[in-house]
């Protein structure tokens, strides 16, 4: 049931299916109309009023990434989810005992993450602010970097590719689920400039509720 959160935005709680795994019980924003930034934290992070609610919604590509992380080989790799939003994929990796750090630049992401960890009876998960346009020295290097639907603005490919280059180990893999955004080609060129080879896989299987989905798994490898 929707309810009004104490801080002035509405949320809802619902089950999200994960292929081959247990459902996730997820608290999200009620809808795309929500906005609450009384102290200007989101504005300071470069987040406009129009994009403020995007972090707190369940997106189709995030569901596809969560499904992928349920079956993907993790090993002992250090893993980073970028632009994690509600961090569905991070929670799946965490539930599989993977070494995952969730990251986003939205000031409320960690609050929602902690609430959702509690809803799913999961222990604390590593979180760090990850702003693609600014230095993030505390993040360090990762062997596997994952993300979903993160190429929705024209100015993102260069900044995102540089961010990945800075935080990817010398031998690294990057997995991006992209719903055929128009900025994909520019991002591919930027990633190639940082030494990453590309392997694309089409995704056209429906979502768990039967809704159509069309996109691609962009798999980048460097040093392999």
């Amino acid at each position: 049931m929707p309810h009004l959160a104490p801080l002035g935005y509405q949320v809802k709680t619902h089950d999200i299916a994960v292929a081959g795994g247990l459902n996730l019980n997820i608290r999200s924003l009620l809808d795309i109309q929500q906005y609450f930034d009384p102290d200007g934290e989101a504005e300071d992070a470069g987040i406009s009023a129009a994009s403020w609610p995007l972090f707190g919604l369940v997106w189709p590509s995030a569901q596809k990434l969560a499904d992928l992380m349920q079956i993907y080989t993790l090993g002992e790799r250090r893993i980073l989810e970028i632009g994690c939003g509600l961090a569905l994929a991070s929670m799946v990796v965490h539930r599989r005992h993977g070494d995952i750090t969730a990251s986003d630049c939205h000031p409320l992401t960690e609050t929602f993450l902690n609430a959702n960890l509690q809803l799913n009876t999961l222990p604390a998960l590593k979180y760090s602010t990850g702003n693609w346009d600014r230095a993030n020295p505390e993040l360090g290097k990762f062997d596997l970097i994952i993300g979903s639907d993160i190429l929705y603005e024209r100015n993102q490919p260069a900044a995102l590719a540089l961010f990945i280059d800075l935080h990817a180990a010398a031998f690294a893999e990057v997995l991006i689920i992209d719903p055929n955004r128009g900025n994909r080609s520019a991002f591919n060129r930027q990633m190639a400039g940082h030494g990453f080879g590309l392997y694309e896989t089409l995704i056209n299987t429906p979502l768990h509720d039967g809704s159509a989905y069309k996109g691609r798994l962009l798999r980048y490898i460097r040093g392999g």
Side-chain angles (χ1 to χ4, degrees), residues 27-31 52-59 85-86 106 112:
R27 178 177 296 167
S28 66
L29 291 175
L30 178 62
D31 53 38
W52 186 94
L54 300 184
F55 87 98
L57 304 174
V58 176
W59 297 99
L86 292 174
H106 199 288
F112 274 72

Side-chain angles (χ1 to χ4, degrees), residues 40-155:
E41 292 180 89
E43 184 179 4
D44 289 345
I47 300 169
S48 67
S51 61
W52 186 94
L54 300 184
F55 87 98
L57 304 174
V58 176
W59 297 99
S61 294
Q63 297 178 65
K64 288 293 183 181
L65 183 60
D67 287 346
L68 179 62
M69 288 299 100
Q70 180 62 38
I71 62 171
Y72 212 74
T73 300
L74 305 178
E76 301 299 319
R77 291 186 289 182
R78 190 167 186 240
I79 307 165
L80 173 69
E81 183 177 8
I82 53 178
C84 70
L86 292 174
L88 305 184
S90 288
M91 292 178 66
V92 169
V93 172
H94 189 49
R95 197 162 59 183
R96 294 182 59 202
H97 307 291
D99 182 1
I100 181 75
T101 298
S103 70
D104 202 292
C105 66
H106 199 288
L108 283 180
T109 300
E110 189 172 14
T111 297
F112 274 72
L113 174 60
N114 289 335
N116 284 321
L117 290 169
Q118 292 181 13
L119 285 173
N120 291 276
T121 322
L122 290 170
L125 188 160
K126 287 181 288 186
Y127 178 82
S128 182
T129 299
N131 192 315
W132 306 337
D133 294 315
R134 302 176 187 179
N136 301 266
E138 75 286 352
L139 265 183
K141 303 281 188 177
F142 294 84
D143 310 298
L144 173 62
I145 297 176
I146 62 174
S148 61
D149 201 357
I150 51 179
L151 299 172
Y152 49 85
E153 292 186 5
R154 289 183 60 186
N155 64 341

Side-chain angles (χ1 to χ4, degrees), residues 193-205:
H194 292 293
F196 286 92
L198 169 64
Y199 304 85
E200 285 193 25
T201 304
L202 294 177
I203 305 173
N204 52 25
T205 54

